[in-house]
Amino acid sequence: METKRSYTAIKVLFSYVALLALVVTVGWFLYSENVVYNKLEDKIALEKTKILRVSKLYSNVYKTESLARQTIQNNSEKDFKNYLIETDSLRKRIDTLKQIVTTEYQKTLLDSVNYFLAEKTENIKQLREIKNKADDETSVNTAIDEITKMEFNLRKLELQDFTKNPNQLGSYQRSVLQQYVDYLNSNIPDDSTNTLSKKASDSILANSKKLLSSVKLKAEKKKESLNFEENKLLQNEIAISDQLRKILRIIEREIIINSIKNNSLKEKSLKRVNEIVTASAVIGLLLTLFFSILIVSDYSKSQLYKKQLEIANFKTKNLLKSREQLISTVSHDLKTPLSTIVGYSELLGNSDVNTKQSYFIKNIKNSSEYITQLVQDLLDFSQIEAGKISIEKVPFSLPEIIEDVARNIQTVYKQKDIDLIINVDEKFQKRIVGDPFRLKQILTNIVGNAYKFTEEGHIRIAAYANDEQSFTISIQDTGIGIEKANQKLVFEEFAQANEGIEKKYGGTGLGLSICQKIISILGGRLSLDSIFGKGSTFTIQLPLLFDNSQTAPIVSNEIKSKPSKNTKKQTFIVVDDDINLLNLTTGVLKQEQHHVFSFTNPAKALETIKNTRFDFVITDIQMPEIDGFLFLEKLRELPETIFKNQPVIALTGRTDLDISVYKNAGFTTVVKKPYSPKILLETIQHILDHEEVPATEFLETESNNSSQMYSLDTLKDFLGQDESALKEVLNSFIETSIENLGFLKTAVQEKNHEEIKSIAHRIAPMFKQIQANEIGEILKNLEKEDLNTIDIKAIYADLSEKIEILFEELKQEI
């Protein structure tokens, strides 16, 4: 079955691994494609940027061409400057475009564009110069016309008389005209009449016209040459513009081609992504189906195995529970006859017997003591296994504990020649906080083993502090030692170091196992170092906490009495659904002259509290409808004028809750049932004196004489040895118990398990209070056990019979 389960687990694991591998592979492919796709997106964005900038270049080219034509036509300096500005802007755009183009060919084409722009600018400059030269002929013609006009008006002449803008003439034309003007002025008579003879004037004018005609003829010839140059430059300008547009179209076409190519690659990448996702989905579905079929095929088998395991687990739990019940029952049942055997053996040993009879008595006593120890070990082991062992933390003297245990065991083995050596660190003159009872139990077991397995030599007990947090107790002996292979075995249940140990020395094999478990519960560690034939050393390491309080040493479960400091009488509210225990608690408080309001109904108690001044509240925990915790909640909800955080003491028979649970709920402290009047009164006194209430975990104790069915000692203490009050309480107890027994019988017949548990809890405390332990144990089992697993009718019949016998005995007390 385990093999099948492991195969199923492997299949599930392999399916997850396969799906994980598929996810990783697909993720890697998708990541790679995503990287390619992002790169293509960047390229496409770059190509778009290029196209946009080329388009802007087109716009700039057309604008520069327009300005060039305008400059050529108007021959304006302003238009030429605008053309140069636009050309510079165009060059900057070309330089920017060069930085983002990717091929050397495109860069070369852009360089050629710059070259053509420079050539075009140079052509325009030449055309402007040709235009300026062409204007000279006009100036000469204008000069001839002016000379004609001067025929009727001779005077001192100037260049402005022959041309409006002499500064715009060419250097040659201006020189000729200036010579002519100087000639005319030199031949004009310098008299007041400013007139010449007709012959002289005609001669001057004729020569002037002749000279200007010669100049005009030369200018016309030069104009023809300039026109030829102009036509040539204009054709070159047109060719440059065409070439410039052609280059830009080539660049644009290449960019578009690259963009189309990148878009095509982008589409292919998207297609591959779709293919990968589709393929992975199909493969994942197939893998899921395949492994689902494999796992589902094992599911029915797994369910079968699960049911088998549940059945086996249920049987195991029942066996363990049965073992615990058997150990508990047998141990308790053995204690009474064992006590009888031991008692009579001692009486018989003290009487007049012969040697043979004395030998028989000694064997009986030894066997009884062995069985008694076995019973005690079984009870301790059962409690530890069930988690019912209780640990207390009280101040105690470590040297006293060690000395007491060692000397007591030494007296048992006084016939052996063994030296006892005790070394305790001086730091332990101060008390430490822990569980002295459990420490005694551990030391008794280990020191007892040391004496048992040592014939001569010494036993050394040493205690020392490791640091401020832990201390060590070592028990060293010179006994038989333990083989290394068997050293771990001695800590196992019902195990000895070897088979010969039990035959020669006896023992149950539980002692060291119990010690190790208790030490572990205390938060410590037990270790062994042994050499076969030379001896053993057991080392106990436990947490260290020194007692810093000023209170007197506390080494038992009882609170030591102290002189009263606060003697003021108090008003108590007492709530308990068990009328008998309620009367007992009330009686104890009234004996101390306290004022008491007692209630069996918590609701009525709350109503009375609203109109009553009180100092203390004592309440049971497990009550019907309103339990102790809910009662405290409702109490705390009352106005501050009523509930002023007065102390609230919890009474309970529960052992499953730690004291911290009660304190966290708001209780001042808790007193466990059954309790003595002394415990209750001293707890109250501690609270009145504003002292810390010591933790009091009370264990259920057997009667001092197990053969007795009950004991009224504690009850008499409650009642102050008042015989009449005792009779009254016993009568009330018998009546209410018979009534509750009738309710229990009805609940058993109806198989009302909750009601059975409730009644058992309600009546158990009073039986424990009178130490009717056998009946108390039955009621405890009815309260705690799973009633589906036991024969409750048989248990009720046994309980009813035992209670009837008890009541017959009690009636004789009345």
Side-chain angles (χ1 to χ4, degrees):
M1 185 165 62
E2 292 294 330
T3 304
K4 293 290 183 183
R5 180 186 294 176
S6 63
Y7 284 161
T8 303
I10 289 172
K11 291 174 185 177
V12 173
L13 178 62
F14 186 72
S15 65
Y16 279 118
V17 170
L19 290 173
L20 180 62
L22 176 64
V23 170
V24 171
T25 303
V26 171
W28 183 81
F29 277 114
L30 290 176
Y31 175 76
S32 301
E33 289 299 325
N34 185 55
V35 171
V36 173
Y37 184 83
N38 288 335
K39 288 181 179 179
L40 290 173
E41 283 283 345
D42 293 340
K43 287 183 179 180
I44 291 170
L46 184 60
E47 297 300 327
K48 289 180 179 179
T49 303
K50 291 178 184 178
I51 292 172
L52 180 62
R53 292 188 178 181
V54 170
S55 299
K56 289 182 178 179
L57 282 178
Y58 266 117
S59 174
N60 279 74
V61 167
Y62 284 119
K63 190 173 181 180
T64 53
E65 287 181 354
S66 174
L67 289 171
R69 291 193 187 95
Q70 189 174 345
T71 300
I72 292 170
Q73 289 174 1
N74 299 333
N75 197 22
S76 169
E77 185 68 24
K78 181 180 178 181
D79 291 338
F80 181 64
K81 287 181 179 180
N82 290 335
Y83 166 76
L84 291 177
I85 291 170
E86 191 63 34
T87 303
D88 289 338
S89 174
L90 183 59
R91 284 198 183 97
K92 289 180 182 178
R93 290 184 182 276
I94 291 171
D95 291 338
T96 304
L97 183 61
K98 275 178 66 177
Q99 294 176 1
I100 61 174
V101 294
T102 54
T103 64
E104 290 297 327
Y105 178 65
Q106 291 176 346
K107 292 180 180 179
T108 303
L109 289 176
L110 289 172
D111 288 336
S112 64
V113 170
N114 277 329
Y115 171 76
F116 285 128
L117 284 173
E119 188 177 352
K120 185 175 180 180
T121 301
E122 189 63 31
N123 282 348
I124 291 172
K125 287 181 179 179
Q126 292 177 7
L127 283 172
R128 290 187 72 241
E129 290 178 359
I130 291 171
K131 281 280 187 181
N132 289 333
K133 291 179 181 180
D135 290 339
D136 294 344
E137 181 185 359
T138 305
S139 300
V140 173
N141 289 333
T142 302
I144 295 171
D145 292 337
E146 290 296 324
I147 290 171
T148 304
K149 292 178 182 178
M150 289 171 56
E151 291 177 348
F152 303 98
N153 186 18
L154 292 174
R155 57 179 178 80
K156 286 284 185 177
L157 301 175
E158 295 178 357
L159 288 176
Q160 286 82 353
D161 294 329
F162 298 94
T163 179
K164 292 180 179 180
N165 298 308
N167 292 329
Q168 294 181 359
L169 294 177
S171 59
Y172 174 74
Q173 288 87 353
R174 184 171 179 172
S175 176
V176 172
L177 189 58
Q178 185 65 47
Q179 291 175 8
Y180 176 68
V181 170
D182 292 340
Y183 172 77
L184 290 178
N185 288 331
S186 65
N187 289 285
I188 294 175
D190 191 17
D191 57 358
S192 59
T193 60
N194 197 24
T195 57
L196 294 172
S197 64
K198 185 177 188 307
K199 182 177 179 180
S201 298
D202 289 340
S203 175
I204 291 169
L205 293 173
N207 288 330
S208 298
K209 286 183 179 180
K210 183 178 179 182
L211 178 61
L212 291 174
S213 295
S214 174
V215 172
K216 181 179 180 181
L217 181 62
K218 289 180 180 180
E220 286 177 353
K221 288 181 180 180
K222 193 172 183 179
K223 181 180 180 181
E224 289 178 1
S225 174
L226 290 173
N227 286 336
F228 175 76
E229 290 294 329
E230 182 180 0
N231 289 332
K232 184 178 178 181
L233 289 173
L234 286 173
Q235 289 176 1
N236 191 22
E237 167 69 18
I238 292 170
I240 289 171
S241 296
D242 291 339
Q243 186 68 17
L244 188 60
R245 283 192 292 272
K246 181 179 179 182
I247 291 171
L248 291 175
R249 280 197 298 272
I250 291 171
I251 294 172
E252 184 180 31
R253 185 171 65 251
E254 285 193 1
I255 293 172
I256 291 172
I257 290 171
N258 287 334
S259 180
I260 292 170
K261 182 180 178 181
N262 288 331
N263 277 319
S264 176
L265 292 174
K266 177 181 173 182
E267 292 295 329
K268 289 180 180 179
S269 178
L270 287 173
K271 185 177 179 181
R272 282 197 300 271
V273 169
N274 289 332
E275 290 173 353
I276 291 170
V277 172
T278 304
S280 62
V282 172
I283 295 171
L285 180 61
L286 292 175
L287 283 174
T288 303
L289 290 173
F290 174 70
F291 287 112
S292 296
I293 292 170
L294 286 179
I295 295 168
V296 169
S297 65
D298 290 339
Y299 181 73
S300 58
K301 295 180 182 179
S302 299
Q303 289 298 104
L304 178 62
Y305 301 147
K306 183 180 178 182
K307 288 181 180 179
Q308 292 175 354
L309 285 172
E310 287 176 352
I311 293 170
N313 187 38
F314 179 75
K315 289 181 178 179
T316 302
K317 285 183 178 179
N318 284 339
L319 285 172
L320 290 173
K321 189 177 290 185
S322 299
R323 187 193 74 171
E324 184 183 342
Q325 289 177 347
L326 177 64
I327 290 173
S328 179
T329 303
V330 171
S331 299
H332 280 91
D333 289 346
L334 283 173
K335 275 192 172 183
T336 301
L338 279 172
S339 299
T340 304
I341 293 171
V342 171
Y344 280 115
S345 297
E346 290 182 355
L347 291 174
L348 191 59
N350 294 328
S351 62
D352 296 330
V353 292
N354 56 37
T355 304
K356 187 175 183 180
Q357 290 171 334
S358 177
Y359 173 76
F360 292 156
I361 293 169
K362 183 179 179 181
N363 286 336
I364 292 171
K365 186 177 179 181
N366 290 339
S367 298
S368 300
E369 289 175 350
Y370 174 79
I371 296 172
T372 301
Q373 184 60 45
L374 174 61
V375 169
Q376 188 58 50
D377 286 347
L378 286 172
L379 281 172
D380 289 338
F381 181 75
S382 177
Q383 276 193 332
I384 292 171
E385 288 291 298
K388 296 179 180 178
I389 186 172
S390 59
I391 301 298
E392 63 179 1
K393 292 184 178 181
V394 296
F396 67 92
S397 172
L398 181 62
E400 288 180 9
I401 294 291
I402 295 174
E403 185 78 20
D404 185 38
V405 171
R407 298 303 177 190
N408 286 339
I409 296 174
Q410 186 183 36
T411 57
V412 176
Y413 294 93
K414 58 185 177 181
Q415 73 278 7
K416 290 187 176 184
D417 185 17
I418 300 173
D419 293 330
L420 177 63
I421 305 169
I422 300 175
N423 295 321
V424 180
D425 195 335
E426 291 183 358
K427 292 182 180 179
F428 294 111
Q429 296 302 317
K430 187 178 180 180
R431 296 182 309 169
I432 64 174
V433 177
D435 191 327
F437 174 77
R438 296 300 173 189
L439 184 57
K440 272 187 178 182
Q441 186 178 3
I442 295 164
L443 290 175
T444 300
N445 207 310
I446 297 176
V447 176
N449 282 346
Y451 269 98
K452 182 191 296 185
F453 297 113
T454 303
E455 295 301 326
E456 60 180 3
H458 69 269
I459 293 174
R460 184 188 303 274
I461 304 173
Y464 53 90
N466 302 322
D467 48 40
E468 294 183 356
Q469 296 182 342
S470 67
F471 70 97
T472 297
I473 303 174
S474 67
I475 299 97
Q476 181 189 31
D477 64 61
T478 55
I480 62 174
I482 303 171
E483 295 177 352
K484 190 171 183 179
N486 295 329
Q487 288 181 12
K488 291 184 178 180
L489 188 65
V490 298
F491 294 108
E492 295 183 5
E493 298 90 352
F494 305 102
Q496 301 276 13
N498 56 63
E499 294 180 358
I501 295 292
E502 184 178 358
K503 294 178 181 179
K504 184 176 180 180
Y505 296 98
T508 63
L510 280 174
L512 289 177
S513 173
I514 292 171
C515 288
Q516 188 181 49
K517 292 180 185 296
I518 292 175
I519 290 171
S520 178
I521 293 171
L522 292 172
R525 183 168 56 89
L526 175 63
S527 59
L528 167 64
D529 183 19
S530 181
I531 300 175
F532 185 67
K534 293 187 177 181
S536 304
T537 301
F538 286 86
T539 304
I540 305 166
Q541 187 172 330
L542 292 170
L544 175 60
L545 178 63
F546 284 105
D547 177 33
N548 296 318
S549 67
Q550 299 300 318
T551 57
I554 301 174
V555 293
S556 67
N557 286 332
E558 281 197 33
I559 303 173
K560 301 301 181 183
S561 61
K562 293 183 179 182
S564 298
K565 297 178 183 178
N566 189 327
T567 58
K568 180 183 177 181
K569 302 310 174 186
Q570 308 293 316
T571 301
F572 285 82
I573 303 294
V574 182
V575 185
D576 197 322
D577 62 328
D578 187 333
I579 185 64
N580 297 301
L581 287 177
L582 179 65
N583 291 335
L584 288 176
T585 304
T586 302
V588 169
L589 296 172
K590 286 183 177 180
Q591 284 177 0
E592 297 297 315
Q593 307 303 315
H594 294 300
H595 188 51
V596 183
F597 293 92
S598 58
F599 303 91
T600 57
N601 189 327
K604 290 184 178 179
L606 289 170
E607 289 297 324
T608 302
I609 285 172
K610 293 178 181 178
N611 303 308
T612 305
R613 189 195 65 79
F614 63 95
D615 302 303
F616 269 87
V617 176
I618 300 176
T619 177
D620 187 24
I621 291 298
Q622 287 181 279
M623 297 182 291
E625 297 181 4
I626 301 177
D627 65 8
F629 291 103
L630 182 57
F631 176 77
L632 180 58
E633 286 182 19
K634 292 181 177 293
L635 187 62
R636 292 164 71 94
E637 290 173 0
L638 294 175
E640 293 183 0
T641 54
I642 297 174
F643 181 66
K644 305 173 183 177
N645 288 323
Q646 292 94 328
V648 181
I649 300 174
L651 299 178
T652 182
R654 295 182 65 171
T655 58
D656 57 334
L657 296 179
D658 189 73
I659 190 171
S660 61
V661 176
Y662 297 96
K663 289 196 173 183
N664 291 337
F667 288 101
T668 306
T669 187
V670 59
V671 175
K672 297 292 184 70
K673 298 177 182 179
Y675 56 90
S676 68
K678 183 180 179 181
I679 293 297
L680 179 62
L681 293 174
E682 291 184 353
T683 300
I684 294 170
Q685 191 62 52
H686 275 292
I687 296 171
L688 288 173
D689 294 338
H690 303 289
E691 296 177 347
E692 183 179 353
V693 181
T696 55
E697 294 290 334
F698 300 103
L699 301 176
E700 294 182 12
T701 58
E702 299 281 351
S703 173
N704 292 332
N705 190 346
S706 300
S707 61
Q708 287 188 355
M709 185 181 297
Y710 65 93
S711 173
L712 299 178
D713 293 342
T714 305
L715 186 59
K716 289 177 180 179
D717 287 340
F718 265 103
L719 301 174
Q721 307 299 326
D722 187 341
E723 291 295 331
S724 60
L726 177 65
K727 291 179 182 180
E728 183 180 346
V729 169
L730 289 177
N731 280 326
S732 174
F733 168 58
I734 292 171
E735 290 175 5
T736 56
S737 297
I738 291 173
E739 183 181 0
N740 284 321
L741 203 61
F743 295 147
L744 182 62
K745 181 179 180 181
T746 303
V748 169
Q749 290 173 348
E750 295 176 353
K751 296 183 178 181
N752 187 343
H753 294 173
E754 291 299 323
E755 183 65 16
I756 293 172
K757 288 178 179 290
S758 176
I759 295 171
H761 169 75
R762 186 166 65 247
I763 65 177
M766 192 60 188
F767 284 98
K768 293 178 183 178
Q769 198 70 49
I770 65 171
Q771 297 182 26
N773 296 308
E774 193 173 4
I775 296 173
E777 190 66 28
I778 295 173
L779 292 170
K780 177 183 175 182
N781 291 335
L782 283 175
E783 181 185 357
K784 302 293 184 183
E785 297 295 333
D786 183 1
L787 300 184
N788 291 312
T789 62
I790 59 176
D791 187 352
I792 54 177
K793 290 185 178 180
I795 291 175
Y796 171 76
D798 184 40
L799 176 67
S800 179
E801 181 181 351
K802 284 181 169 56
I803 290 176
E804 185 177 351
I805 295 171
L806 173 65
F807 286 171
E808 290 297 326
E809 293 286 336
L810 289 176
K811 286 177 182 178
Q812 294 178 12
E813 298 275 354
I814 298 176

